[in-house]
Amino acid sequence: MENLTEVSLDSFVLSNPPKPLSQTLNSVDSEELRTFHEAVKARGAVSVLLAAGEGSRFKSNYPKVIHPFNGKPLAQHALDAAAVCGLPVVVIVGHAKEEVVDALTFRTGETVFVFQEQQMGTAHAVYLAKCALPDDFDGEVFVSYADNPGVDSELLTEAFATHKKNKELYGDAYAAMILTGSRKYAGHGASAYGRIVRKERTSGPVVDIVEKKTITKLALDKRSLTYDDGQVWTPEELEAIDEFNSGIVVASGAEYYKVLGEVVASQTKFDPPKYEYYATDFVKGLVARGKVSEGFQIPVDSMWKLEGANTVEELRELEKKHTERVEE
């Protein structure tokens, strides 16, 4: 495999275009895709649902994204939330794709599925959705994960409302908003979450998302992170940041996909070589363009909505938590 650390995501996707699924995305001239484009243009927004992963620690007879959760396949909760909000959806599928599509109930003409054949990271998955959007799309993009069933229509509506307020506050400089939370009140795996770095350290726009593995490497190399504005963060300071990245984003589509396309791969293994395109790199791309990314920190009593699960046991715990919340 060629060295992808110098290959932009846009170039990689042009060389490795996604394969359509016969159930939905038949061809660029299909009537169904034209109907979907009309729905996207009418709404001025689209939801991108990432449902391609296998979940290596999730041992079940079901693919993770359609494992039963409160009476529905796991990914169905995200599709239903989008339906309530009138959002067309691009679902990125990969592992057990036919089984996943067959298990879900979706709105014909307002849902398309795109196959991520090569698992090249979250940015790659999100960027593939662009292939299913109108060429002149300049609306809003909501990116979420199939294994976050708590991201309901209420949170989705609140996220779009806050995104709109940010647009009014920053004007043309504003481009994206990341849903964040407090590690102190998070569930499983909080120590491994990416940290949110803000311009004023504890306030102001988001200037970076630093992954746990980056912090670990900085500590091993005895290096700090230095930003263009003069901020210096030691590995210990980065480790101590409480605000984490949920991975859920609301963004102005044109600007978001422009910087996402410029992301280059990170090498995650050397023998044999393995590369991934990280979605979190979009923040640095926006900062370099003079654009603003904000963080919307979810209140502590709603933190459960951001929780996911890596194992069947964790999913059962999460299901119990959701059931208790519904009954309150």
Side-chain angles (χ1 to χ4, degrees):
M1 179 181 283
E2 65 176 312
N3 182 358
L4 297 180
T5 59
E6 297 179 359
V7 177
S8 71
L9 180 53
D10 179 61
S11 296
F12 180 81
V13 172
L14 282 174
S15 301
N16 302 272
K19 292 183 178 179
L21 286 183
S22 59
Q23 294 95 329
T24 52
L25 192 54
N26 292 314
S27 73
V28 292
D29 297 319
S30 73
E31 181 63 33
E32 190 166 7
L33 189 57
R34 283 196 292 271
T35 302
F36 180 74
H37 283 180
E38 290 170 5
V40 170
K41 289 179 179 179
R43 181 62 172 81
V46 68
S47 172
V48 176
L49 182 62
L50 305 187
E54 180 178 359
S56 57
R57 287 192 282 159
F58 198 87
K59 307 304 180 184
S60 168
N61 293 327
Y62 298 90
K64 179 181 179 181
V65 298
I66 57 170
H67 193 280
F69 185 92
N70 279 349
K72 302 177 184 177
L74 191 55
Q76 190 66 51
H77 294 269
L79 287 175
D80 291 349
V84 171
C85 295
L87 276 176
V89 186
V90 180
V91 187
I92 308 300
V93 293
H95 174 67
K97 60 184 185 299
E98 289 89 357
E99 194 174 347
V100 169
V101 174
D102 289 345
L104 298 174
T105 302
F106 51 89
R107 296 163 291 156
T108 302
E110 294 189 36
T111 309
V112 295
F113 294 80
V114 175
F115 177 34
Q116 185 188 21
E117 184 176 22
Q118 295 174 276
Q119 302 286 303
M120 297 297 295
T122 50
H124 178 240
V126 175
Y127 201 73
L128 290 182
K130 184 174 181 284
C131 302
L133 298 177
D135 291 338
D136 58 351
F137 175 70
D138 62 354
E140 314 305 316
V141 177
F142 180 80
V143 179
S144 64
Y145 296 79
D147 58 356
N148 277 128
V151 182
D152 55 15
S153 58
E154 181 182 21
L155 181 56
L156 217 164
T157 299
E158 188 176 9
F160 269 96
T162 307
H163 178 63
K164 182 179 179 182
K165 289 178 183 176
N166 287 336
K167 274 188 163 186
E168 295 168 354
L169 176 63
Y170 293 108
D172 291 341
Y174 175 71
M177 183 184 78
I178 305 141
L179 272 64
T180 71
S182 167
R183 290 196 301 117
K184 181 179 178 181
Y185 299 99
H188 296 281
S191 65
Y193 295 161
R195 272 53 163 183
I196 296 292
V197 177
R198 289 184 178 265
K199 188 173 184 180
E200 307 298 333
R201 295 188 85 84
T202 58
S203 63
V206 176
V207 296
D208 198 4
I209 299 171
V210 184
E211 299 292 353
K212 171 67 173 179
K213 63 180 69 175
T214 300
I215 298 172
T216 300
K217 190 172 189 310
L218 286 169
L220 289 172
D221 295 343
K222 296 184 168 139
R223 291 190 300 113
S224 297
L225 273 185
T226 302
Y227 293 92
D228 291 342
D229 63 359
Q231 274 200 73
V232 178
W233 288 81
T234 66
E236 294 76 19
E237 288 173 326
L238 291 167
E239 179 70 36
I241 293 174
D242 180 63
E243 189 176 10
F244 73 84
N245 167 44
S246 72
I248 301 166
V249 174
V250 190
S252 300
E255 199 68 48
Y256 178 63
Y257 273 119
K258 189 181 298 180
V259 297
L260 208 60
E262 294 169 354
V263 167
V264 295
S266 296
Q267 188 163 2
T268 57
K269 289 184 180 178
F270 289 88
D271 189 19
K274 182 181 178 183
Y275 302 90
E276 288 190 38
Y277 290 92
Y278 290 125
T280 50
D281 286 347
F282 86 88
V283 175
K284 287 183 286 189
L286 289 176
V287 170
R289 288 175 171 271
K291 297 293 184 179
V292 173
S293 296
E294 259 297 355
F296 172 37
Q297 188 159 1
I298 302 302
V300 171
D301 61 358
S302 295
M303 278 281 298
W304 61 277
K305 293 188 175 185
L306 298 182
E307 289 186 34
N310 292 314
T311 66
V312 173
E313 292 72 26
E314 288 178 6
L315 191 67
R316 286 176 184 149
E317 289 179 32
L318 187 58
E319 186 173 34
K320 182 179 178 182
K321 192 177 295 187
H322 277 233
T323 302
E324 289 171 351
R325 292 285 181 169
V326 170
E327 291 174 352
E328 286 180 357

